Structures are given as structure tokens and as C-alpha cells.
């Protein structure tokens, strides 16, 4: 009978009951999403929770406004769908904000008149559970303590003993015998232990504290709902501002978390990088340049047109076949590592550092070289190389 009150259309709910049902639905959907890891069955589990929330909203509203209870559907439904399909967190915060707005709007509506007093769970209607009749319990001194139980047992034994003694005396009088004189029992004195007394006092103080806390919370909720009823528009505006504030905070927090995760995912740059070696170059009389970058020798010249890219690569053995070899007039040849067309329309050939000494010596001593279909004269090349200190050790 208690569960039926959550899924019925008849009756009236208090604002507190509606708020508890709405909040519990959102919390259970979030909990199920953690347990099910975003599985599609979460949508099926969310349907009865959404139905209970809608029915509670309908019971909270007056009959002419019960169609407005459908306003609470988008919030929990979007929350469940976002937990299953969305990979980002912002749809969940939008769902929570929609739920808060819808809840604040429904609570601000006029409270319907209940036909009967509300029960302890905030429901008034035909499915109210009848209060069970309580059996009268005789007050006893004994509590939960063993010491008090012992005292109660002694009292019960004394009572039975007194009744038996009275019955025996009446039988003697009926037979004509004089009852024998008996000495009245002395009153017994019972001493309670200090531990039992301390336990009783502590339990009594705890009960009083819990009762006082419950009364204060009830009074606080009553004052809050009274203020909401008196100023429904102000309450709705307050709910809206609070929702926007929370949404903004969570939005900013999510962006910072995303940036932090992205920064952690990026590979750390090396602390110190070796500075690039300066390129030393010498302009030859025939219009090409001999360049030295560390121990890597390069030859560059102008004359090609087209998009920048690789003309020849030794690694793939693909490209312009005329760039496969650097050939001197004496027939000695060397294979370039790469031949590339640069953005400034210059063509650059890079050679292996192992061939650098031999190529520089041949440039200084031979008469001409051929590369990529171009033939360059080496007249005066030795004097030009000797002017650059970087090339002198190879001469």
C-alpha cells in the first residue's frame, strides 16, 4: 500500500514530498549510471523514476494545472540519455538545471486542498494507510538493562507469592483452623549499578537531542515553504539564478579539467635542445653554392619551378632519376640522401656525412660536376673554398 502512493493519480502531495521524489530520482539515475557504466538499460530503469516524479508533480498541482507536470520530464530523461550516449559532461549539467527550474516552478504553484490530513510521508488520498491501533503497555520500571530486568523478576515472584499465601489463609479459615502467625517480610532495598544508570541517562539525552533536531528541521522547512507560497515569483527567480550560477561554475570547472587533461596528455618537451649548427656556405663562380651544416654537405642552385617537395630520396629510391648520382668529370659519383625543391625555388641536395671529405676534395680538384641534369664548372672552386675556414680542414 505504501508503494502504491508513489504511482497513483489520486490524492495530494506536499511540496516536501515532491522535492524528495524529484531529488531521489536524479540521484538514483546518476547512481545507476555509475553501476551500469552507461549501458542502455539505464533508460529502462529511469522510466519508472520519471513516472513517479511526474505523478508526484501532478498530485502537487491543482486539477486545472496538472498538465504542467509534464515539465519535469526533460530533466531526468536528458540526464539518463546523456549518461548513455553523450561523451561530454555539459548535457548532464543542462539536465540538472532543467530539473531545478521545473521543480521550482511546480513548488511555486498554489497548493491543492487536501481532503484529509497528510500522513507522515506527506501524502493525502484514498490510499492512505490506516494507523494501526496500539496495544496498551503497562509501564514498568525495567528497561533494556539486565539490572532492571532482575528487579522486575523479583517483583513478579513476590506478587505470586503473596497471592498464594492469601489463598492458603482463606482455606484455613474455611476449615476452622486458626491461621498461623507469620512475620511480615521486610521490605527489600535494591541498588542499581552506576553503569546502568549512566547508560539510561545517555540514552535519554540522545533521544532528547534527536527530537530537538527533528523539530528544528521541521520548523525550518515550514518557514521555507511558507516564504515560497507567499512569494512564488521570487522563489522561481531565486531557483533560476542559483541554477545559472551552479551551471556556470561547473562549466568553468569542466573547461579547466579538460585543459589540465589535455596538457597532461601532451608529451613533455625536452628541457634543453641542442642549438642548430650554423650553415657555412661558399658561392661558386658557376652560380651554385656549397653549404656545410655541421658535417653534412649540401649543394644548392636555382633554376627549378614547381611546388616545394622531394625530388629524390635514397630511402625510398623514388623520384627524379637524374638526381640519383653526383658525377664528376673523372667518373667518380656519389649518391645524395635527398634532393628537394625548397620554397625559395632553390634546389638542395644533401649528402651523407661519410662522403663529405671526399666530395669537398673533388670539388676543389676536379673540373666539373653533373647533378639533376645540370653541369657546373669547378674553375676557381679551390680558391673559393679556401676563403671559408669551415672548409679548410677538408682541403
Amino acid at each position: 500500500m505504501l508503494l502504491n502512493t508513489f504511482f497513483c493519480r489520486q490524492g495530494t502531495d506536499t511540496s516536501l514530498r515532491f522535492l524528495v521524489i524529484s531529488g531521489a530520482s536524479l540521484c538514483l539515475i546518476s547512481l545507476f549510471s555509475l553501476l551500469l557504466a552507461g549501458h542502455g538499460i539505464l533508460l529502462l530503469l529511469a522510466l519508472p523514476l520519471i513516472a513517479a516524479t511526474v505523478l508526484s508533480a501532478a498530485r502537487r498541482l491543482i486539477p486545472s494545472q496538472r498538465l504542467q507536470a509534464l515539465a519535469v520530464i526533460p530533466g531526468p530523461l536528458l540526464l539518463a540519455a546523456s549518461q548513455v550516449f553523450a561523451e561530454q559532461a555539459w548535457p548532464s549539467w543542462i539536465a540538472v538545471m532543467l530539473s531545478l527550474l521545473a521543480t521550482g516552478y511546480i513548488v511555486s504553484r498554489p497548493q491543492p486542498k487536501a481532503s484529509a490530513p497528510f500522513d507522515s510521508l506527506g501524502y493525502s488520498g484514498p490510499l492512505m494507510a490506516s494507523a494501526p491501533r496500539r496495544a496498551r503497555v503497562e509501564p514498568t520500571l525495567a528497561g533494556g538493562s539486565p539490572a532492571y530486568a532482575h528487579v522486575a523478576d523479583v517483583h513478579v515472584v513476590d506478587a505470586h507469592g503473596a497471592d498464594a499465601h492469601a489463598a492458603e489463609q482463606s482455606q484455613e479459615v474455611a476449615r476452622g483452623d486458626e491461621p498461623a502467625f507469620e512475620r511480615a517480610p521486610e521490605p527489600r532495598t535494591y541498588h542499581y549499578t552506576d553503569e546502568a544508570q549512566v547508560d539510561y541517562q545517555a540514552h535519554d539525552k540522545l533521544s532528547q537531542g534527536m527530537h530537538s533536531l527533528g523539530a528544528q528541521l521541521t520548523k525550518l522547512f515550514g518557514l521555507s515553504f511558507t516564504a515560497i507560497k507567499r512569494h512564488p515569483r521570487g522563489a522561481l527567480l531565486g531557483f533560476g539564478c542559483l541554477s545559472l550560477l551552479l551551471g556556470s561554475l561547473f562549466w568553468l570547472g569542466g573547461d579547466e579539467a579538460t585543459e589540465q587533461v589535455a596538457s597532461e596528455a601532451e608529451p613533455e618537451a625536452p628541457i634543453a635542445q641542442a642549438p642548430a649548427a650554423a650553415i657555412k656556405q661558399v658561392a661558386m663562380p658557376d652560380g651554385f653554392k656549397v653549404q656545410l651544416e655541421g658535417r653534412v654537405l649540401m649543394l644548392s642552385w636555382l633554376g627549378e619551378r614547381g611546388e616545394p617537395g622531394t625530388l629524390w630520396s635514397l630511402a625510398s629510391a623514388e623520384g627524379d632519376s637524374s638526381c640519383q648520382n653526383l658525377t664528376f668529370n673523372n667518373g667518380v659519383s656519389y649518391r645524395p640522401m635527398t634532393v628537394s625543391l625548397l620554397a625559395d625555388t632553390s634546389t638542395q641536395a644533401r649528402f651523407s656525412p661519410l662522403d663529405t671529405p671526399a666530395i669537398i676534395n673533388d670539388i676543389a680538384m676536379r673540373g666539373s660536376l653533373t647533378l639533376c641534369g645540370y653541369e657546373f664548372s669547378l674553375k676557381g672552386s679551390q680558391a673559393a673554398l679556401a676563403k671559408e675556414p669551415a672548409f679548410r680542414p677538408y682541403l
Side-chain angles (χ1 to χ4, degrees), residues 230-295:
R230 290 180 180 178
H231 308 283
R233 294 183 179 179
L236 181 60
L237 181 61
F239 272 108
C241 294
L242 181 61
S243 302
L244 292 177
L245 178 61
L246 292 177
S248 301
L249 292 177
F250 287 129
W251 189 288
L252 295 176
D255 292 341
E256 292 179 358
T258 304
E259 292 177 359
Q260 183 178 1
V261 171
S263 62
E264 291 178 356
E266 293 179 356
E268 295 183 359
I271 298 176
Q273 295 181 350
I279 299 178
K280 307 297 182 179
Q281 67 178 7
V282 174
M284 292 289 137
D286 204 12
F288 72 98
K289 297 179 181 178
V290 181
Q291 300 172 332
L292 193 62
E293 183 180 9
R295 296 181 58 189

Side-chain angles (χ1 to χ4, degrees), residues 159-175:
H160 286 293
D163 293 341
H165 181 68
E168 192 177 289
Q169 283 187 353
S170 62
Q171 291 178 1
E172 290 179 357
V173 172
R175 291 196 304 267

Side-chain angles (χ1 to χ4, degrees), residues 204-383:
D204 188 27
K205 290 182 179 180
L206 180 61
S207 301
Q208 292 179 359
M210 294 296 293
H211 180 72
S212 176
L213 179 60
Q216 292 179 1
L217 291 177
T218 304
K219 183 178 179 181
L220 178 61
F221 279 117
L223 293 176
S224 302
F225 288 130
T226 302
I228 291 175
K229 291 178 181 179
R230 290 180 180 178
H231 308 283
R233 294 183 179 179
L236 181 60
L237 181 61
F239 272 108
C241 294
L242 181 61
S243 302
L244 292 177
L245 178 61
L246 292 177
S248 301
L249 292 177
F250 287 129
W251 189 288
L252 295 176
D255 292 341
E256 292 179 358
T258 304
E259 292 177 359
Q260 183 178 1
V261 171
S263 62
E264 291 178 356
E266 293 179 356
E268 295 183 359
I271 298 176
Q273 295 181 350
I279 299 178
K280 307 297 182 179
Q281 67 178 7
V282 174
M284 292 289 137
D286 204 12
F288 72 98
K289 297 179 181 178
V290 181
Q291 300 172 332
L292 193 62
E293 183 180 9
R295 296 181 58 189
V296 178
L297 181 68
M298 298 176 291
L299 300 181
S300 66
W301 64 92
L302 299 176
E304 295 290 342
R305 293 183 180 180
E307 295 293 330
T310 301
L311 301 179
W312 161 260
S313 174
L314 180 61
S316 61
E318 295 179 355
D320 189 353
S321 59
S322 63
C323 299
Q324 294 181 5
N325 293 300
L326 166 66
T327 306
F328 290 92
N329 59 333
N330 64 344
V332 178
S333 62
Y334 303 91
R335 289 189 181 275
M337 300 295 294
T338 58
V339 179
S340 305
L341 181 61
L342 304 182
D344 59 354
T345 69
S346 64
T347 304
Q348 184 184 75
R350 299 175 66 93
F351 296 88
S352 170
L354 298 177
D355 297 331
T356 297
I359 295 176
I360 293 177
N361 186 55
D362 284 334
I363 291 175
M365 303 302 296
R366 307 305 167 199
S368 64
L369 62 85
T370 304
L371 180 61
C372 294
Y374 291 91
E375 184 177 358
F376 300 99
S377 173
L378 298 178
K379 185 178 179 179
S381 59
Q382 184 176 5

Side-chain angles (χ1 to χ4, degrees), residues 63-126:
S64 61
Q65 297 179 348
R66 288 190 173 178
L67 188 61
Q68 300 176 2
L70 299 178
V72 303
I73 294 180
L77 185 61
L78 178 60
L79 178 62
S82 64
Q83 298 294 336
V84 176
F85 300 107
E87 298 180 356
Q88 298 179 352
W90 62 267
S92 301
W93 299 123
I94 292 179
V96 174
M97 292 172 61
L98 290 176
S99 299
L100 291 176
L101 291 175
T103 302
Y105 173 75
I106 293 176
V107 169
S108 65
R109 298 294 89 192
Q111 174 78 34
K113 295 181 180 180
S115 58
F118 293 99
D119 60 7
S120 58
L121 298 178
Y123 172 78
S124 175

